[in-house]
Amino acid sequence: MQQLEIEYPAKRIMNVRTPNMKFENHLQNMLIDTEEYHQQKTMINEKIGKLYQKRKVSSNFKKKQEYAKTINETIRQWNEDYPKAPNYYDLHGMTEQGAIDYVLDIVKWMRVKNVKTSRLETGKAFDISADLQELSQTPVCVVCSGVKSILDIPKTVEYLETHSVNCVVYGEGNVLPSFFTRKSGSKAQFQTESLEEVVELLKTSKTLGLPHGTVLACPIPEKYAADGDLIQQAIDQAVREAIEQNIASQQVTPFILARVNELTQGASMKTNIALLENNASIAGRLAAKLCDRRPIAISKMNRNQSSMVSKPKVVSIGAAIVDFEAITNEDVKDDGGSYNGRVVQRMGGVARNHAEALGRLGCESIFVSAIGDDQNGQFFRQNSEKTDITRVQMITNRPTCTYLAVNVKGNVKYGIVTSEPLLSTLTPKLIEANSDVLECSDFILLDSNLPVPLMAKTLEIAKKHEKQVWLEPTDIDKVKKVFSTGLVDAVTATSPNANEFLEWAKLCNVKVDTSIVNSADSVLELIEKEKRRLLLNTSLFVVTLANKGSAVVHRNKLGQLEFQALPPPLQMDKVVSVSGAGDSFNSGVIAGLTHNKSVVESLQLGQECARLTLQTTLAVSEAITPQLLK
């Protein structure tokens, strides 16, 4: 308890005094100490508490003012009915403005009645540390040993709780530690012995956009608890000495630390180091778990075995393109000649191909894109029965994207695309308008045909909501787009071909001999050597090398990297068209992961989907069905 003494005439208006034992004994003779007084005090405290609660939950400003007025008037009446002593005023519970007004009225009364001294009771000093204020407005996790025992622990906990700061005890029992002792007597919001639960708490807070911090309080290790008890005794003695010597304000902590070190003969330093090491160990493990983004754990849906089994939701974002492929088995030369073959029209576009394949594999496949109001746009609508296209915009006065590929003996020599007139009209508003499906998706497929601002908005939403993103680079010139967003760390998986991988390495400042892509093993050796720079934050990295197979790097259940060379899905002499084969492979892997299959099983599914598509002129084989998942 702290008394504020007011003298009139005013030598000092409010003099803060920390009472020593002599002063307390003198004051005690003046205070009312009856059973009725304490009963009434309890009742008034309960009444004030209820009024504050009503004021806190009220959304009406005028009503809040009325509650504040009632609180202050109730406390004034209490002082008139139950004064502790003559000219003694108890300001506990008053609002800040209410207390100021009351003090001014007391001064006026003292002037009129010629009263020389009045005493005000305001409770313990509430010196709020800047650390506490920062925790209330910064989403950071502080790993510590609890609240310092020299502080007012209940009030510290109350302040944190009032300002929505999560207080979590990491250990047995929901009792906050106080640095050198394992139990302070104050409770936290909850207790856990699982860092995974702490990770979920932090991620949920981030997803909800909460601006508040989290305190993870870690009790002193059991083997140091006995030393901690002795140190606490020294702290208690140092605090008493500080009071007796009238040491206050910023001088308190240095005095106590020096005195405790002296009383324990240096033992407090050893225990302090043990606390730091324990906190650092826990913080390191927590940080590792927070950074763990393994695709093996992407599926967290609670699917039951009833007929109402939910499908995994995958959102594909990118271009919808009508493909025209010229196919020939003749020896084509750069001579301007004509060659026998055939021309096939089909639906294409990297993201659209993924959307169809995922729909065929039993996923709830949602396609976000745009088409023109023309004949090719009509062709798209007529050939999208496996995909939810309700989120595809129709743009007037712009042609639907088209692509012409020249396929010579199973290999696409080059292609010509007309996508810029339509795609250039798209803005991040397209992504914002569909943020609801992104936020509740199990996986997002993003192709690099889109303008950089749209890609950036997609990755921003995915990162905020901890969504898995598979990036398909689409071609060598578009690899740089994802780096231009500044959010390449939001990419979970990617699947560049040989040329795209060389460009990726260049953008990662890794010097590569172009011959490295002549074999999957050479690519894997390079990735193992330069894994930190090349993999960035990805958990699955696939380099497709045409007839040389694929180089795959993924994280296993322990978060460790595994390297695997995959053979080509099909012998080259049996390939009809390579268009869409890579998209089918990616879709098979995504479908496997979202159906709770392992990474290895998902890769096998991807290989089978690619094999089926390679044997058809379609961008996605009609033989791809949910049966492949069984």
Side-chain angles (χ1 to χ4, degrees), residues 501 516-517 519-531 534-535 541-543 545 550-554 561-566:
F501 172 69
I516 202 79
V517 295
S519 75
D521 289 337
S522 297
V523 171
L524 291 174
E525 288 177 9
L526 174 66
I527 294 176
E528 185 173 18
K529 179 181 178 182
E530 299 286 354
K531 54 182 174 289
L534 287 174
L535 297 181
F541 199 95
V542 181
V543 183
L545 303 169
S550 300
V552 180
V553 181
H554 69 90
L561 291 176
E562 292 194 4
F563 301 82
Q564 182 179 1
L566 296 178

Side-chain angles (χ1 to χ4, degrees), residues 343-572:
V343 176
V344 177
Q345 181 185 12
R346 60 172 177 260
M347 278 313 307
V350 171
R352 194 223 66 91
N353 293 344
H354 284 83
E356 180 184 344
L358 288 161
R360 290 186 177 278
L361 287 166
C363 296
E364 182 183 349
S365 182
I366 300 171
F367 186 36
V368 177
S369 186
I371 58 174
D373 186 12
D374 55 12
Q375 187 175 354
N376 286 330
Q378 182 64 27
F379 182 77
F380 163 79
R381 290 191 293 273
Q382 292 171 349
N383 292 272
S384 301
E385 67 275 4
K386 298 294 182 181
T387 308
D388 179 352
I389 61 171
T390 58
R391 302 196 178 238
V392 176
Q393 284 189 0
M394 183 179 293
I395 309 296
T396 57
N397 302 320
R398 288 291 189 276
T400 300
C401 300
T402 56
Y403 172 74
L404 171 64
V406 177
N407 182 331
V408 179
K409 295 183 177 181
N411 286 315
V412 175
K413 291 298 184 181
Y414 52 85
I416 299 173
V417 65
T418 58
S419 61
E420 190 62 23
L422 184 138
L423 295 181
S424 63
T425 67
L426 302 182
T427 70
K429 290 183 179 179
L430 174 66
I431 305 303
E432 293 171 354
N434 293 284
S435 61
D436 57 326
V437 291
L438 297 181
E439 292 171 12
C440 65
S441 66
D442 295 296
F443 224 118
I444 299 170
L445 183 285
L446 179 65
D447 88 39
S448 297
N449 284 308
L450 293 171
V452 171
L454 269 76
M455 295 178 64
K457 177 55 68 174
T458 301
L459 294 171
E460 177 187 322
I461 292 173
K463 187 172 184 178
K464 178 180 178 180
H465 296 279
E466 298 289 339
K467 298 301 176 181
Q468 309 293 318
V469 178
W470 188 303
L471 174 77
E472 174 50 55
T474 71
D475 71 43
I476 186 172
D477 292 327
K478 296 173 183 175
V479 176
K480 66 184 69 172
K481 282 188 173 183
V482 69
F483 287 86
S484 299
T485 66
L487 291 165
V488 68
D489 63 322
V491 174
T492 306
T494 188
S495 49
N497 63 22
N499 290 327
E500 293 161 0
F501 172 69
L502 293 175
E503 182 66 16
W504 181 284
K506 180 181 177 181
L507 292 166
C508 292
N509 298 314
V510 176
K511 293 183 179 180
V512 181
D513 188 318
T514 55
S515 64
I516 202 79
V517 295
N518 289 337
S519 75
D521 289 337
S522 297
V523 171
L524 291 174
E525 288 177 9
L526 174 66
I527 294 176
E528 185 173 18
K529 179 181 178 182
E530 299 286 354
K531 54 182 174 289
R532 291 188 180 276
R533 287 197 283 177
L534 287 174
L535 297 181
L536 302 176
N537 203 34
T538 59
S539 298
L540 179 59
F541 199 95
V542 181
V543 183
T544 57
L545 303 169
N547 62 345
K548 302 177 184 66
S550 300
V552 180
V553 181
H554 69 90
R555 296 190 183 278
N556 60 23
K557 291 182 178 181
L558 300 176
Q560 301 166 332
L561 291 176
E562 292 194 4
F563 301 82
Q564 182 179 1
L566 296 178
L570 188 69
Q571 294 178 8
M572 286 304 297

Side-chain angles (χ1 to χ4, degrees), residues 571-586:
Q571 294 178 8
M572 286 304 297
D573 59 351
K574 296 181 179 179
V575 172
V576 174
S577 172
V578 297
S579 295
D583 302 335
S584 295
F585 172 84
N586 297 346

Side-chain angles (χ1 to χ4, degrees), residues 323-338:
D323 283 350
F324 297 89
E325 185 174 16
I327 304 171
T328 182
N329 287 319
E330 295 192 5
D331 293 324
V332 176
K333 298 178 181 179
D334 187 14
D335 57 3
S338 297

Side-chain angles (χ1 to χ4, degrees), residues 100-117:
I100 292 172
D101 292 342
Y102 195 19
V103 170
L104 291 176
D105 287 344
I106 292 170
V107 172
K108 291 177 184 178
W109 180 84
M110 291 170 66
R111 183 184 298 139
V112 172
K113 297 295 183 180
N114 197 29
V115 175
K116 301 299 182 182
T117 302

